[in-house]
Amino acid sequence: MKRILVVGSNGLLGQKITTLFSKSKQYDIFNVSVEEKSFLDEKDFPYHQLDITKRSSVLKFIDSVQPDVIINTAAVTNVDLCETDRALAWKVNVSGVENLVYGAKMVGAKVIHFSSDYVFDGKNGPYSESETPNPISYYGRTKLASENVLKLSGIPNVIIRTMILYGIANQVKDNFALWLANNLSENKQIRVVDDQIGNPTLVDDLAYAVLKIVEYNRSGLFHITGGELISRYGFALALAKKFKFNKDLITPIKTSILKQPALRPLKSGFVILKAETELNLKMSNVENGLTVFQNQFYHQQKNKEYHII
């Protein structure tokens, strides 16, 4: 039985990976996040509070669990916060990964780590794995630095670059699709950029890709995203159509109007042929991904109503 340590298990991706891996009797799952309590049922999944920026705590815990695979989903992903609080961004996104690498070396574990399209400048996407990164934000720089930590570590590793992750899980902060659905369901006017292009990625698909990587014992760099390139505005219209929301509530704008602290890659997107071929994957397009998302969204809404006393 393989021992799997999911770091950042309270996040959207961490929860999906935990739930998916737990369906197989081949894996023993251990969950850690920075929060005091698990967002999943602790009876089903052993949980331990862990701050990956504290090396001694990381080494002690990894030594006690002796994992075969460490899946790191923990990161500061708020792009503007990374721009304004660079010390925090580096501490979690780079030093935290270094600590996990030290722990992995100690016990002989493989590390699976997540990076981003923000390692590219977004001038001529979609990008394949062979193209040269050129980050234009501090968040992008920290993600590229974390990739280099792994590449130079000498340990077995997988780096998965992804983007525009969306889905439903317990107590997670709003992702793009969730923000759209929550606002449009309340008939709120929203503004969405029409000049940022990328591949929206259903989190369930990404979790399945991670399972395949472990099953096939793959290593190296993979671009893994949804199968369709679309603008943020285009995705918002597709979601409105799927849910039968009023599309007139959505106003297209340019990224420059928002005056955000961090620059965004505009013409992004990934070529995912390597992942599809080597992992035998079929990633969802926008329509199929939104169908899954819609079912999960309404299921969660029903559960919330059920719990109201």
Side-chain angles (χ1 to χ4, degrees), residues 41-301:
D41 194 333
E42 285 188 52
K43 293 197 300 294
D44 298 327
F45 311 106
Y47 180 80
H48 186 86
Q49 184 179 18
L50 184 68
D51 181 346
I52 62 168
T53 67
K54 295 177 177 165
R55 182 173 294 179
S56 60
S57 302
V58 170
L59 298 185
K60 186 178 174 186
F61 184 74
I62 289 175
D63 188 43
S64 72
V65 170
Q66 295 282 315
D68 300 296
V69 180
I70 298 169
I71 302 173
N72 179 38
T73 71
V76 179
T77 57
N78 182 320
V79 181
D80 292 325
L81 176 63
C82 287
E83 203 68 29
T84 54
D85 192 344
R86 296 187 171 199
L88 174 69
W90 192 270
K91 191 176 171 185
V92 177
N93 293 355
V94 185
S95 302
V97 177
E98 288 174 338
N99 295 339
L100 292 172
V101 164
Y102 275 104
K105 276 184 178 173
M106 187 174 65
V107 299
K110 173 186 270 188
V111 173
I112 299 175
H113 176 66
F114 294 88
S115 189
S116 165
D117 63 314
Y118 278 64
V119 301
F120 294 104
D121 56 22
K123 289 182 178 169
N124 54 353
Y127 298 95
S128 69
E129 289 87 349
S130 62
E131 292 180 71
T132 306
N134 181 34
I136 54 174
S137 67
Y138 197 73
Y139 170 70
R141 283 164 62 187
T142 65
K143 295 312 280 184
L144 183 58
S146 71
E147 290 184 13
N148 290 333
V149 166
L150 279 165
K151 285 177 184 171
L152 299 171
S153 68
I155 64 169
N157 70 80
V158 180
I159 296 163
I160 299 171
R161 291 184 186 140
T162 191
M163 69 177 79
I164 320 175
L165 207 55
Y166 70 93
I168 302 286
N170 297 333
Q171 300 179 54
V172 292
K173 63 180 184 286
D174 272 5
N175 49 73
F176 183 48
L178 196 50
W179 175 79
L180 289 169
N182 284 334
N183 280 283
L184 293 173
S185 66
E186 294 172 11
N187 287 313
K188 290 181 180 172
Q189 295 272 350
I190 56 171
R191 301 187 304 164
V192 179
V193 293
D194 64 2
D195 57 351
Q196 287 184 36
I197 295 163
N199 302 70
T201 308
L202 180 68
V203 68
D204 307 69
D205 285 352
L206 188 59
Y208 182 69
V210 176
L211 182 66
K212 287 293 183 189
I213 282 167
V214 173
E215 282 180 355
Y216 295 161
N217 196 26
R218 294 285 193 254
S219 293
L221 173 65
F222 290 93
H223 285 181
I224 306 180
T225 62
E228 188 174 343
L229 205 60
I230 193 170
S231 73
R232 294 257 180 171
Y233 177 64
F235 182 78
L237 290 179
L239 184 143
K241 183 180 177 185
K242 169 63 70 176
F243 279 77
K244 297 185 169 54
F245 293 145
N246 180 6
K247 71 179 191 317
D248 296 334
L249 293 168
I250 310 165
T251 304
I253 58 165
K254 300 300 175 195
T255 301
S256 57
I257 288 172
L258 296 172
K259 298 197 180 335
Q260 294 156 308
L263 291 172
R264 267 65 171 171
L266 298 182
K267 193 184 175 194
S268 190
F270 281 157
V271 176
I272 58 172
L273 187 62
K274 180 186 175 188
E276 287 182 322
T277 306
E278 292 191 20
L279 303 174
N280 193 24
L281 289 176
K282 181 68 181 137
M283 302 298 287
S284 298
N285 61 16
V286 170
E287 170 69 24
N288 294 342
L290 284 174
T291 299
V292 174
F293 175 78
Q294 183 185 39
N295 289 336
Q296 293 180 359
F297 181 80
Y298 283 133
H299 179 72
Q300 190 181 64
Q301 298 298 103

